[in-house]
Amino acid sequence: MKVTHNCTKVMIEWPNVTVSSHQDAGLTPEELQKSKCILGFIPVVYYSALLCVGVPVNILTAVALTRLACRTKKTLYYYLLAVTGSDILSQLFIIFVGFLLETAVFHREVPALLLRSVSAAEFAANHASIWSTVPLTVDRYVALCHPLLHRQISYPARARRIIAAVMALALASGVPFFWWSDMWRNSHPPTRLDTVLIWTHITIIYFLPCSIFLVLNSLIIRTLRARRRPDHDDRRPRSAPPGRMGKTTAMLLAVTSVFSVLWAPRTVVLIYHLYVASVHRDWRIHLAYDLSNMLAMLNTAVNFFLYCFVSKPFRGTVRDILLLRAGPLYSGRGLPEQQQHNNNASLSSLYNTKRSQRDSTPASPQRAVARHTSLIQVQLCPRDTAAASGSGVASALCGPTEGEQ
């Protein structure tokens, strides 16, 4: 995603005036029609402040999420860690390299091959930052709507493979944008290649992920509302979570909602530039494009504050890091989730094997008669059976006998 500006060469300048004057002598018609940036050095200050704040808080977020992931072995923290890493890449490639170095420092007077290579890297980081949220949304949907399936398929090793696949696809999707044109400096109308690249870009970064977020979040909210109904409690499986919005679901809805709001203006401006007015010629579209890019880049630095507002474990881990305290190695939940799942599966298989062996072995007549007699005694008087056998289980269940009272 290119957020380069030509604001660094001018201060506050208003739209071009077509009336000729002595100051316009020697300028070509294309230069007279070129839109001016009226923001001056505001983008330079804004992006510098965003970089100085965003990178440290994202690094702090990555350290905290790494601790939580190692401590709890929950796939949620692995997906959030991928989102944070992608945001750091976006800040480094788009803000630091693409804008501050290329535009503000070198005024884009660098080789064209380097410009296009950085452009492809910017788009790849941008796509990775957005699409790393999609596996998180899918994981939360499966956890809330299909809890039994989530226990079988969700574990850290699989989460890491999914994250690696998403990152690889995001890097590959940035290659076609090697040919992305500079909207601020190209005076010609958008070509067919520009149209294809713009529609591909806004589909990848906005329309497709927002459609996934809308559908899955709607299903999550619908499931939670259905579980709140009194007539639904009897039909709800025991493994299903309660019908209330937890902190994890609230965090997911906050992250996806903030993304949808912050990236919507840039999508609208790109479509407007494509079919109505060009950024190069209309100062209003130029201004709208600059402001929409600034708003979109804000999304790379707000997740830390959302996590702190929603998640108490995250706040506690951040506090431990800032105070240079080492947190507990494991949480109070005991074994990690995947290890508990493996142990439960082993115990279940062992129980099924013992039971099949017992059912397949023919019992002797004396053993069958003894088993039948013990069942009759339990049904008639479980306390006497418990007293005769010396076991306190039936006595504990049925309460004290009349002599004991």
Side-chain angles (χ1 to χ4, degrees), residues 212-231:
I212 297 174
F213 297 154
L214 178 62
V215 172
L216 295 183
N217 290 339
S218 300
L219 292 175
I220 290 174
I221 295 175
R222 179 182 177 184
T223 302
L224 293 177
R225 287 181 177 178
R227 288 175 183 168
R228 291 176 183 173
R229 300 172 185 171
D231 57 346

Side-chain angles (χ1 to χ4, degrees), residues 82-83 86-87 90 124-133 167 170 299-300:
V83 174
S86 302
D87 288 341
S90 297
N126 182 215
H127 297 169
S129 176
I130 294 172
W131 275 89
S132 57
T133 314
M167 293 299 176
N299 187 61
T300 62

Side-chain angles (χ1 to χ4, degrees), residues 166-284:
V166 170
M167 293 299 176
L169 292 176
L171 293 176
S173 67
V175 174
F177 297 94
F178 180 85
W179 294 272
W180 181 269
S181 62
D182 191 345
M183 297 181 183
W184 288 276
R185 292 167 176 80
N186 290 341
S187 59
H188 59 77
T191 62
R192 182 174 299 179
L193 178 61
D194 295 335
T195 303
V196 172
L197 290 178
I198 289 176
W199 273 108
T200 303
H201 176 57
I202 61 179
T203 301
I204 291 176
I205 63 142
Y206 196 77
F207 289 127
L208 191 55
C210 281
S211 300
I212 297 174
F213 297 154
L214 178 62
V215 172
L216 295 183
N217 290 339
S218 300
L219 292 175
I220 290 174
I221 295 175
R222 179 182 177 184
T223 302
L224 293 177
R225 287 181 177 178
R227 288 175 183 168
R228 291 176 183 173
R229 300 172 185 171
D231 57 346
H232 190 272
D233 294 339
D234 297 335
R235 297 193 303 267
R236 187 179 67 191
R238 294 183 178 180
S239 59
R244 59 182 179 85
M245 182 177 296
K247 296 296 183 65
T248 302
T249 306
M251 183 187 301
L252 170 65
L253 296 179
V255 170
T256 54
S257 300
V258 168
F259 160 76
S260 302
V261 171
L262 294 181
W263 279 89
R266 185 175 185 274
T267 304
V268 174
V269 172
L270 281 175
I271 297 176
Y272 196 88
H273 158 80
L274 195 59
Y275 294 105
V276 180
S278 173
V279 172
H280 179 79
R281 297 179 181 275
D282 194 332
W283 70 272
R284 293 177 293 267

